[in-house]
Amino acid sequence: MLRKMDSKTMGSSNHGWLRSKFHFSFAEYYNPENIQFGVLRVINDDLINPQTGFGTHPHKNMEIISYVVNGELTHGDNMGNKNTITRGQVQYMSAGTGVLHSEHNLGEDTSRFLQIWILPDKYGHTPAYGDFRFNWDDRKDNWLHMVSRLDGDAPIKINQDANIYSLELQQGKEISFPVSVGRQAYLVQIEGTSLINGIELSDRDGLEVVEEDMTIRAEKTSHILLIEMKKAN
């Protein structure tokens, strides 16, 4: 099963300094038929103006991943962490029993990043933070495995049976991805245009995939994020 999520009909908001597309119900966008996809609760595609950002605010019992598309993103928290990442790099936080953090664009250009929330395998984990500066070229025509469960192979580990990959597929090239029985995946077409099993995706579109292998062809060079996880009960 594949279902396209068209960016033109997604929830959205415009606060001036922040402009967002919501893949799932969030903030002022509420759709009872689009709350989450398995353990994937939030994907927000955010644009943040220079010298602005999210002030200190709380999170609890959520695995939170931030993936920068353009510009830069600076994280700070009450555990003493403060770091800045740029295009193709990742910050991750296990909010666990509770954490306070902020995210700002301290750069000179608009920042675009994907904010991803994944439900944890249980409540009450000890809060943790980390970041990873992936080499951009490692995702060219290749699935770069960035995030996995604790016993997985990716450099970033989270408290859930889920994997996150990124890809830059050059125009005219094809690549496959298996979504096996008992698994599902959510794909974000970050940039470019692709055909996936005959379905066309453009900038900021999404695709739900359940127990179906994908063949992806880049109609225009395509920057893609893929979250693979256990199938919802």
Tab-separated table of all heavy atoms in Angstrom, residues 131-164:
chain	number	residue	atom	x	y	z
A	131	ASP	N	24.594	14.822	18.474
A	131	ASP	CA	24.498	15.306	17.100
A	131	ASP	C	25.542	14.573	16.266
A	131	ASP	O	26.500	14.007	16.794
A	131	ASP	CB	24.680	16.822	17.001
A	131	ASP	CG	25.902	17.327	17.744
A	131	ASP	OD1	27.028	16.951	17.366
A	131	ASP	OD2	25.735	18.088	18.708
A	132	PHE	N	25.319	14.567	14.962
A	132	PHE	CA	26.227	13.844	14.069
A	132	PHE	C	26.358	14.622	12.770
A	132	PHE	O	25.360	14.999	12.157
A	132	PHE	CB	25.714	12.427	13.794
A	132	PHE	CG	26.801	11.480	13.380
A	132	PHE	CD1	27.468	10.708	14.324
A	132	PHE	CD2	27.183	11.366	12.054
A	132	PHE	CE1	28.488	9.842	13.950
A	132	PHE	CE2	28.200	10.510	11.675
A	132	PHE	CZ	28.863	9.738	12.627
A	133	ARG	N	27.610	14.840	12.368
A	133	ARG	CA	27.908	15.623	11.166
A	133	ARG	C	28.249	14.679	10.009
A	133	ARG	O	29.394	14.403	9.719
A	133	ARG	CB	29.039	16.608	11.468
A	133	ARG	CG	28.564	17.741	12.352
A	133	ARG	CD	29.654	18.400	13.154
A	133	ARG	NE	29.120	19.538	13.912
A	133	ARG	CZ	28.404	19.426	15.033
A	133	ARG	NH1	28.143	18.228	15.538
A	133	ARG	NH2	27.946	20.503	15.652
A	134	PHE	N	27.203	14.178	9.365
A	134	PHE	CA	27.370	13.245	8.252
A	134	PHE	C	28.034	13.936	7.067
A	134	PHE	O	27.819	15.118	6.808
A	134	PHE	CB	26.009	12.694	7.825
A	134	PHE	CG	25.343	11.825	8.846
A	134	PHE	CD1	24.394	12.349	9.708
A	134	PHE	CD2	25.672	10.484	8.962
A	134	PHE	CE1	23.779	11.558	10.659
A	134	PHE	CE2	25.064	9.687	9.899
A	134	PHE	CZ	24.111	10.223	10.755
A	135	ASN	N	28.835	13.151	6.338
A	135	ASN	CA	29.427	13.628	5.081
A	135	ASN	C	28.352	13.607	4.005
A	135	ASN	O	27.720	12.578	3.760
A	135	ASN	CB	30.598	12.703	4.701
A	135	ASN	CG	31.338	13.173	3.467
A	135	ASN	OD1	30.771	13.761	2.561
A	135	ASN	ND2	32.621	12.899	3.430
A	136	TRP	N	28.148	14.747	3.343
A	136	TRP	CA	27.080	14.823	2.344
A	136	TRP	C	27.222	13.752	1.268
A	136	TRP	O	26.245	13.121	0.847
A	136	TRP	CB	27.044	16.210	1.704
A	136	TRP	CG	25.938	16.301	0.696
A	136	TRP	CD1	26.025	16.122	-0.650
A	136	TRP	CD2	24.554	16.515	0.985
A	136	TRP	NE1	24.785	16.226	-1.235
A	136	TRP	CE2	23.860	16.464	-0.248
A	136	TRP	CE3	23.829	16.749	2.166
A	136	TRP	CZ2	22.475	16.639	-0.335
A	136	TRP	CZ3	22.449	16.926	2.070
A	136	TRP	CH2	21.798	16.865	0.832
A	137	ASP	N	28.432	13.523	0.794
A	137	ASP	CA	28.633	12.598	-0.325
A	137	ASP	C	28.258	11.160	0.011
A	137	ASP	O	28.040	10.352	-0.897
A	137	ASP	CB	30.084	12.647	-0.801
A	137	ASP	CG	30.416	13.941	-1.526
A	137	ASP	OD1	29.475	14.662	-1.922
A	137	ASP	OD2	31.612	14.240	-1.696
A	138	ASP	N	28.162	10.819	1.284
A	138	ASP	CA	27.834	9.442	1.672
A	138	ASP	C	26.392	9.075	1.331
A	138	ASP	O	26.032	7.897	1.387
A	138	ASP	CB	28.076	9.230	3.165
A	138	ASP	CG	29.553	9.197	3.516
A	138	ASP	OD1	30.372	9.040	2.588
A	138	ASP	OD2	29.888	9.337	4.699
A	139	ARG	N	25.564	10.054	0.959
A	139	ARG	CA	24.167	9.756	0.598
A	139	ARG	C	23.929	9.887	-0.905
A	139	ARG	O	22.796	9.738	-1.356
A	139	ARG	CB	23.224	10.654	1.387
A	139	ARG	CG	23.074	12.061	0.875
A	139	ARG	CD	22.596	13.004	1.955
A	139	ARG	NE	23.701	13.303	2.843
A	139	ARG	CZ	23.586	13.717	4.095
A	139	ARG	NH1	22.414	13.893	4.623
A	139	ARG	NH2	24.649	13.967	4.824
A	140	LYS	N	24.975	10.179	-1.687
A	140	LYS	CA	24.795	10.331	-3.130
A	140	LYS	C	24.571	8.965	-3.771
A	140	LYS	O	25.440	8.089	-3.738
A	140	LYS	CB	26.000	11.038	-3.748
A	140	LYS	CG	26.039	12.529	-3.412
A	140	LYS	CD	27.056	13.293	-4.246
A	140	LYS	CE	26.927	14.793	-3.989
A	140	LYS	NZ	27.879	15.579	-4.802
A	141	ASP	N	23.366	8.782	-4.327
A	141	ASP	CA	22.955	7.525	-4.967
A	141	ASP	C	23.097	6.343	-4.009
A	141	ASP	O	23.369	5.214	-4.427
A	141	ASP	CB	23.755	7.278	-6.251
A	141	ASP	CG	23.593	8.403	-7.257
A	141	ASP	OD1	22.490	8.982	-7.335
A	141	ASP	OD2	24.577	8.729	-7.954
A	142	ASN	N	22.881	6.609	-2.711
A	142	ASN	CA	23.085	5.587	-1.683
A	142	ASN	C	22.220	5.927	-0.473
A	142	ASN	O	22.115	7.090	-0.075
A	142	ASN	CB	24.564	5.555	-1.272
A	142	ASN	CG	24.841	4.584	-0.148
A	142	ASN	OD1	24.707	3.384	-0.307
A	142	ASN	ND2	25.210	5.108	1.014
A	143	TRP	N	21.614	4.898	0.118
A	143	TRP	CA	20.857	5.104	1.350
A	143	TRP	C	21.838	5.264	2.509
A	143	TRP	O	22.532	4.330	2.874
A	143	TRP	CB	19.932	3.933	1.619
A	143	TRP	CG	18.781	3.798	0.667
A	143	TRP	CD1	18.613	2.829	-0.274
A	143	TRP	CD2	17.651	4.661	0.571
A	143	TRP	NE1	17.449	3.030	-0.962
A	143	TRP	CE2	16.828	4.150	-0.463
A	143	TRP	CE3	17.241	5.816	1.243
A	143	TRP	CZ2	15.625	4.750	-0.835
A	143	TRP	CZ3	16.042	6.413	0.878
A	143	TRP	CH2	15.250	5.879	-0.143
A	144	LEU	N	21.895	6.459	3.079
A	144	LEU	CA	22.746	6.721	4.237
A	144	LEU	C	21.935	6.418	5.498
A	144	LEU	O	20.967	7.114	5.811
A	144	LEU	CB	23.216	8.180	4.228
A	144	LEU	CG	23.985	8.644	5.468
A	144	LEU	CD1	25.252	7.821	5.681
A	144	LEU	CD2	24.307	10.135	5.367
A	145	HIS	N	22.345	5.379	6.225
A	145	HIS	CA	21.635	4.955	7.437
A	145	HIS	C	22.096	5.840	8.595
A	145	HIS	O	23.216	5.710	9.076
A	145	HIS	CB	21.950	3.482	7.718
A	145	HIS	CG	21.031	2.844	8.707
A	145	HIS	ND1	21.225	1.567	9.187
A	145	HIS	CD2	19.907	3.302	9.320
A	145	HIS	CE1	20.270	1.262	10.030
A	145	HIS	NE2	19.452	2.291	10.137
A	146	MET	N	21.220	6.730	9.042
A	146	MET	CA	21.597	7.711	10.048
A	146	MET	C	21.140	7.342	11.455
A	146	MET	O	21.833	7.623	12.437
A	146	MET	CB	21.017	9.083	9.676
A	146	MET	CG	21.441	9.585	8.300
A	146	MET	SD	20.883	11.287	7.965
A	146	MET	CE	19.101	11.086	8.092
A	147	VAL	N	19.944	6.729	11.557
A	147	VAL	CA	19.324	6.471	12.858
A	147	VAL	C	18.813	5.038	12.897
A	147	VAL	O	18.235	4.551	11.920
A	147	VAL	CB	18.150	7.447	13.102
A	147	VAL	CG1	17.455	7.136	14.426
A	147	VAL	CG2	18.623	8.894	13.068
A	148	SER	N	19.011	4.370	14.036
A	148	SER	CA	18.488	3.020	14.222
A	148	SER	C	18.088	2.823	15.679
A	148	SER	O	18.321	3.681	16.534
A	148	SER	CB	19.529	1.970	13.820
A	148	SER	OG	20.615	1.971	14.736
A	149	ARG	N	17.516	1.659	15.977
A	149	ARG	CA	17.234	1.320	17.373
A	149	ARG	C	18.554	1.052	18.095
A	149	ARG	O	19.630	1.022	17.471
A	149	ARG	CB	16.314	0.103	17.435
A	149	ARG	CG	16.899	-1.164	16.849
A	149	ARG	CD	15.852	-2.260	16.787
A	149	ARG	NE	16.438	-3.532	16.379
A	149	ARG	CZ	15.737	-4.625	16.117
A	149	ARG	NH1	14.417	-4.604	16.227
A	149	ARG	NH2	16.340	-5.742	15.754
A	150	LEU	N	18.481	0.835	19.402
A	150	LEU	CA	19.690	0.772	20.218
A	150	LEU	C	20.671	-0.305	19.759
A	150	LEU	O	21.887	-0.126	19.853
A	150	LEU	CB	19.311	0.538	21.687
A	150	LEU	CG	18.517	1.669	22.363
A	150	LEU	CD1	18.222	1.308	23.814
A	150	LEU	CD2	19.259	2.995	22.288
A	151	ASP	N	20.163	-1.436	19.259
A	151	ASP	CA	21.060	-2.514	18.818
A	151	ASP	C	21.266	-2.504	17.307
A	151	ASP	O	21.721	-3.482	16.724
A	151	ASP	CB	20.536	-3.869	19.275
A	151	ASP	CG	19.160	-4.199	18.708
A	151	ASP	OD1	18.537	-3.322	18.071
A	151	ASP	OD2	18.690	-5.346	18.900
A	152	GLY	N	20.955	-1.362	16.651
A	152	GLY	CA	21.103	-1.257	15.201
A	152	GLY	C	22.485	-0.808	14.783
A	152	GLY	O	23.396	-0.645	15.597
A	153	ASP	N	22.638	-0.575	13.473
A	153	ASP	CA	23.947	-0.305	12.883
A	153	ASP	C	24.231	1.180	12.645
A	153	ASP	O	25.348	1.530	12.267
A	153	ASP	CB	24.070	-1.033	11.537
A	153	ASP	CG	23.991	-2.541	11.694
A	153	ASP	OD1	24.434	-3.042	12.743
A	153	ASP	OD2	23.475	-3.205	10.769
A	154	ALA	N	23.254	2.051	12.824
A	154	ALA	CA	23.453	3.469	12.522
A	154	ALA	C	24.207	4.166	13.656
A	154	ALA	O	24.181	3.715	14.801
A	154	ALA	CB	22.107	4.140	12.285
A	155	PRO	N	24.865	5.278	13.366
A	155	PRO	CA	25.616	5.984	14.413
A	155	PRO	C	24.728	6.652	15.455
A	155	PRO	O	25.164	6.895	16.578
A	155	PRO	CB	26.428	7.030	13.639
A	155	PRO	CG	25.740	7.181	12.338
A	155	PRO	CD	25.117	5.864	12.029
A	156	ILE	N	23.477	6.962	15.096
A	156	ILE	CA	22.533	7.539	16.044
A	156	ILE	C	21.568	6.449	16.485
A	156	ILE	O	20.978	5.757	15.651
A	156	ILE	CB	21.753	8.700	15.408
A	156	ILE	CG1	22.702	9.831	15.014
A	156	ILE	CG2	20.668	9.211	16.350
A	156	ILE	CD1	22.050	10.922	14.200
A	157	LYS	N	21.400	6.294	17.787
A	157	LYS	CA	20.524	5.258	18.342
A	157	LYS	C	19.370	5.917	19.090
A	157	LYS	O	19.560	6.876	19.841
A	157	LYS	CB	21.298	4.363	19.322
A	157	LYS	CG	22.606	3.762	18.765
A	157	LYS	CD	22.335	2.701	17.726
A	157	LYS	CE	23.541	1.797	17.469
A	157	LYS	NZ	24.733	2.522	16.972
A	158	ILE	N	18.153	5.384	18.874
A	158	ILE	CA	16.985	5.891	19.582
A	158	ILE	C	16.247	4.735	20.264
A	158	ILE	O	16.485	3.562	19.954
A	158	ILE	CB	16.025	6.654	18.649
A	158	ILE	CG1	15.500	5.739	17.532
A	158	ILE	CG2	16.701	7.881	18.067
A	158	ILE	CD1	14.398	6.388	16.697
A	159	ASN	N	15.345	5.103	21.155
A	159	ASN	CA	14.594	4.121	21.940
A	159	ASN	C	13.313	3.713	21.222
A	159	ASN	O	12.197	3.888	21.724
A	159	ASN	CB	14.265	4.709	23.318
A	159	ASN	CG	15.503	5.007	24.134
A	159	ASN	OD1	16.283	4.115	24.454
A	159	ASN	ND2	15.692	6.278	24.468
A	160	GLN	N	13.480	3.144	20.029
A	160	GLN	CA	12.340	2.667	19.247
A	160	GLN	C	12.859	1.855	18.068
A	160	GLN	O	13.982	2.063	17.583
A	160	GLN	CB	11.499	3.834	18.736
A	160	GLN	CG	10.218	3.443	18.007
A	160	GLN	CD	9.351	2.470	18.785
A	160	GLN	OE1	9.475	1.244	18.613
A	160	GLN	NE2	8.489	2.978	19.655
A	161	ASP	N	12.041	0.899	17.621
A	161	ASP	CA	12.389	0.075	16.466
A	161	ASP	C	12.084	0.863	15.194
A	161	ASP	O	11.048	0.667	14.550
A	161	ASP	CB	11.595	-1.236	16.511
A	161	ASP	CG	11.920	-2.157	15.344
A	161	ASP	OD1	12.844	-1.835	14.567
A	161	ASP	OD2	11.242	-3.198	15.206
A	162	ALA	N	12.986	1.787	14.859
A	162	ALA	CA	12.803	2.639	13.689
A	162	ALA	C	14.168	2.987	13.112
A	162	ALA	O	15.169	3.045	13.833
A	162	ALA	CB	12.045	3.916	14.061
A	163	ASN	N	14.187	3.205	11.802
A	163	ASN	CA	15.411	3.561	11.080
A	163	ASN	C	15.149	4.798	10.237
A	163	ASN	O	14.068	4.955	9.666
A	163	ASN	CB	15.847	2.423	10.158
A	163	ASN	CG	16.170	1.148	10.917
A	163	ASN	OD1	17.248	1.020	11.481
A	163	ASN	ND2	15.227	0.211	10.939
A	164	ILE	N	16.156	5.675	10.150
A	164	ILE	CA	16.044	6.854	9.294
A	164	ILE	C	17.225	6.873	8.327
A	164	ILE	O	18.376	6.700	8.736
A	164	ILE	CB	16.015	8.152	10.119
A	164	ILE	CG1	14.819	8.139	11.083
A	164	ILE	CG2	15.935	9.367	9.193
A	164	ILE	CD1	14.718	9.376	11.952
